[in-house]
Amino acid sequence: MQQGPAVRRRKLGEELRALRDRSGFTSGEAARLAGWHQSKISRIETGRSGVKVEDIRLLLDVYGEVVSAQQRALLEALSASAAGPAPDADTGRGRQWWHDYRGLLPQEYRDFISLEAGARSARTVELSVVPGLLQTPEYARAVTRAALGGLPEPKVDALVDVRLARQCVLRADPPLELSAVLDEAVLRRTIGGAGVMTEQLRHLVEVASLPQVRLQVLPFSVGGHLGLTGPFVIFSFPDIADLDVVVLDHLTSSLYLERKEDLEAYSAAFRTIQAHALPPRDSSDLISALADDA
């Protein structure tokens, strides 16, 4: 279990070294064309130091045609996540807006948002609350108040704004592909009152109709299941090999699992949980029925 930036730097370095090899440049030649000392290339490729997004852009310009537009966008997002300090660059899905919240959000949460913004797909299992990407404003507000009791209202408002801003990835171009399995308890736990919950359930049905969203419910009748150990998210990325990451997400922080054996274990767990869940259509019918009864 590791914090994100160090692992991101190592993987970013591996991908940049592979691109340099593909371009046919030595590290010395690449450094000269970028106007750098060779030691800077070495530090970046070994993950010993972070790299600014503008430096990534310069380096990718040096490597030229071997870099696809999609790969360029992801590497820029990856460098922002790896850097540690708040990013200030563009990604393939728009400006990195979370920079404006750096005084409110811990670095770990900003890392999580950066990964989410650059991912091709996300697979998530939730046991207690609706995932942040699928929450309505009032539901998000009620969850934030419950989890962080006594927080001043301006901070609650800001955290809700962050939660809602994250949802832009579902309607981006290309959108994030989301597969979510919700324990039935998520749907039956009234958060924020009956009106808020009814609105949230109807919103789930609406979002589930998006072509890139697969929403399933794990019914109580399943009994014990692998997801009982806790909620998790698996992010997968385009073009870059061996970059999947499991995120154990808390309200304002995250932990990352990136070892091959961890990824395999969580991927297998997700497949098993998904297989026991109701099919998407039956899941939407159940959610609609609960909304009508709320």
Side-chain angles (χ1 to χ4, degrees):
M1 189 173 295
Q2 305 180 57
Q3 296 300 326
V7 177
R8 303 285 100 180
R9 286 196 299 270
R10 177 178 57 78
K11 293 198 172 186
L12 175 63
E14 291 173 354
E15 294 300 326
L16 290 172
R17 184 169 60 251
L19 285 175
R20 178 173 59 76
D21 290 342
R22 207 184 319 164
S23 70
F25 293 125
T26 66
S27 59
E29 289 169 338
R32 178 177 55 79
L33 290 169
W36 300 341
H37 193 279
Q38 184 175 354
S39 61
K40 182 170 181 176
I41 294 285
S42 176
R43 290 195 304 272
I44 291 172
E45 291 186 350
T46 57
R48 294 200 305 271
S49 67
V51 55
K52 296 178 180 179
V53 177
E54 52 265 35
D55 286 344
I56 283 292
R57 289 173 173 162
L58 175 58
L59 202 54
L60 295 180
D61 286 343
V62 169
Y63 297 153
E65 294 181 358
V66 302
V67 187
S68 69
Q70 189 176 34
Q71 193 171 31
R72 173 183 287 269
L74 182 58
L75 285 169
E76 290 177 4
L78 180 58
S79 69
S81 173
D88 59 0
D90 290 346
T91 71
R93 292 197 175 101
R95 190 178 73 82
Q96 294 187 342
W97 50 266
W98 55 92
H99 174 77
D100 296 336
Y101 295 90
R102 61 189 181 278
L104 174 71
L105 305 178
Q107 182 62 48
E108 292 87 352
Y109 193 25
R110 300 203 302 273
D111 289 343
F112 176 84
I113 296 171
S114 180
L115 292 174
E116 186 176 71
R120 179 191 70 241
S121 65
R123 291 165 284 170
T124 183
V125 173
E126 262 296 349
L127 306 179
S128 302
V129 298
V130 171
L133 291 180
L134 305 178
Q135 292 178 4
T136 63
E138 289 309 310
Y139 184 94
R141 189 176 307 280
V143 167
T144 302
R145 284 174 176 157
L148 298 174
L151 198 67
E153 279 303 300
K155 288 192 175 181
V156 172
D157 292 341
L159 287 171
V160 171
D161 288 345
V162 169
R163 188 65 56 92
L164 299 179
R166 284 173 46 199
Q167 297 176 5
C168 67
V169 297
L170 293 178
R171 291 177 170 81
D173 183 18
L176 178 75
E177 299 171 9
L178 177 65
S179 295
V181 179
L182 311 185
D183 191 273
E184 187 174 343
V186 173
L187 310 177
R188 295 187 178 275
R189 177 174 290 104
T190 301
I191 294 179
V196 169
M197 200 64 205
T198 298
E199 181 185 9
Q200 175 62 74
L201 292 172
R202 289 176 176 159
H203 180 68
L204 284 176
V205 174
E206 178 184 345
V207 177
S209 67
L210 295 173
Q212 76 279 11
V213 174
R214 180 182 177 90
L215 180 62
Q216 294 177 256
V217 176
L218 194 65
F220 286 147
S221 59
V222 169
H225 56 82
L226 285 171
L228 292 176
T229 56
F232 61 88
V233 183
I234 307 172
F235 287 124
S236 296
F237 298 84
D239 290 338
I240 295 185
D242 192 30
L243 196 59
D244 286 9
V245 54
V246 177
V247 184
L248 308 180
D249 185 30
H250 304 287
L251 186 62
T252 56
S253 64
S254 304
L255 294 173
Y256 302 78
L257 299 171
E258 307 197 53
R259 296 185 308 169
K260 182 178 180 180
E261 53 266 41
D262 292 324
L263 290 166
E264 290 175 348
Y266 275 87
S267 294
F270 184 83
R271 289 192 297 271
T272 299
I273 294 168
Q274 193 175 50
H276 285 93
L278 297 175
R281 183 179 295 276
D282 292 346
S283 296
S284 290
D285 289 346
L286 173 59
I287 297 170
S288 294
L290 290 174
D292 291 341
D293 293 340

